[in-house]
Amino acid sequence: MSSSDFSQKVQDAIIKGFIAAGISLGTRLKLFDAIASLSVSQETAVTTQVIADYTKCKERYIREWINGMVCADMVDHCVENGIDKYWLAPFRLPALTHSAEGCPASSSQLLSGVTQNSRNVEACFPIDGPPGTEVDDYPGLHEFLATKYSPLQDVNKIDAILNDEQLIKKLEKGAKVIELGCGAAHPVKTMATRFPNSSFVASELSESVLSRAKENCKDLANVSYAIVDACDVPDSMADQFDLVILFDVFHDVPYPIKLLQGACKLLKLGGKFIMNEINMFDTVEENKVKCGAQGCIMYMIGTLYCMPTSVKHPRGAGLGPCAGPKVFEDLLKESGLGEIVKRCDEIIGLTFCATKTLEMHEVEPETKKTKSE
């Protein structure tokens, strides 16, 4: 590649960043939905004032934003008698509006969510800078994660995700389950709906985060809520659960071994631990070749959020979403959990299942010495 070609590649990447920012704004404010509701053809195209009245937004802001989206070929435009008019062609609706589950445009909020604290992350780079950032510094990210579509919201897929006939039968009969780091508790909601005879606990580190789970699961009588630090499980909760689940959280935690030992403490003898992670690879070369731009996204999420919020804590692990399956599996083995099974699933990514064995039951988790702590 020549220098000029590479310069163009860099320029194109920056331009796409600006387009993504516009898409994020339009998605967050539901401006694309509004345009689609007003007009899907040139015959019914509307002015920015009509869009502003419909959305109860300022016309000048609507005009500046929508013209940018026209230049990016995201919104349709025509001029009638010297007046600019706009519409959203039907082929654009699945990608830009909330009419379809998992519309691509909604993912743009992930970009705005992780970059909203970028100045504080920049300050962490120098040797004499702060060690990391606070989880609460990313409200937009948490809002997106609470509302984004996930396969874990699909009751029809939960059996395949669990992938254990005996466990499914136990859940159908009645079991006790806790989700650690539940966020909006999508897995709890799905499983509580699928297994009404079982009881579920959605747990988080703070009430502010747990409130999202309470709102999401408010209509389910078999769901309760608790503030739980999995690295410091109280004795009153020991040996209480048949299943502990951890979805898309492990790579964020500062003390992974302590968390796994805490999960084990929560489990009854023979209880199951299921952990879901992002399906990346063990080396940057593999991620470059096999994941391409998706690999870049994961590393940047790690740089801007996962890693700094983990290393904020003294001796925090800072694993990040690209730590790789070998790192996760080695940590599971080091924790003492037994019967570890790894599974890669196109639906939800990388999943590990482990069991609390007799050996682990006989050794108090908090007293085990590990090389990672």
Side-chain angles (χ1 to χ4, degrees), residues 254-258 261 315 317 326-336 365 367-373:
Y255 308 116
I257 290 293
K258 286 184 178 180
Q261 292 174 349
R315 297 174 63 198
K326 185 179 185 304
V327 170
F328 298 140
E329 188 168 8
D330 287 348
L331 287 166
L332 280 164
K333 291 176 179 176
E334 189 178 337
S335 74
T367 64
K368 285 180 67 69
K369 301 296 183 182
T370 68
K371 60 186 178 185
S372 292
E373 302 301 333

Side-chain angles (χ1 to χ4, degrees), residues 166-238:
Q166 287 188 327
L167 178 59
I168 290 171
K169 288 179 180 178
K170 180 179 284 190
L171 288 164
E172 288 174 337
K173 184 177 180 180
K176 292 186 68 176
V177 182
I178 184 170
E179 181 180 8
L180 303 174
C182 67
H186 292 310
V188 161
K189 182 177 182 179
T190 306
M191 293 179 68
T193 303
R194 168 67 178 85
F195 305 110
N197 294 327
S198 288
S199 61
F200 296 82
V201 177
S203 74
E204 261 295 351
L205 287 171
S206 70
E207 183 60 41
S208 62
V209 180
L210 196 60
S211 63
R212 293 194 290 269
K214 291 180 178 179
E215 176 62 25
N216 192 32
C217 302
K218 61 185 178 182
D219 297 325
L220 293 165
N222 57 337
V223 177
S224 59
Y225 311 90
I227 302 297
V228 178
D229 181 354
C231 295
D232 187 20
V233 173
D235 291 339
S236 60
M237 297 185 74

Side-chain angles (χ1 to χ4, degrees), residues 352-364:
F352 290 95
C353 180
T355 304
K356 181 172 182 176
T357 61
L358 179 61
E359 177 186 356
M360 194 65 186
H361 186 63
E362 290 173 344
V363 180
E364 287 297 318

Side-chain angles (χ1 to χ4, degrees), residues 33 106 155 206-207 253 266 271 297 331 345:
D33 297 83
S106 64
V155 174
S206 70
E207 183 60 41
V253 300
L266 290 164
I297 291 172
L331 287 166
D345 192 310

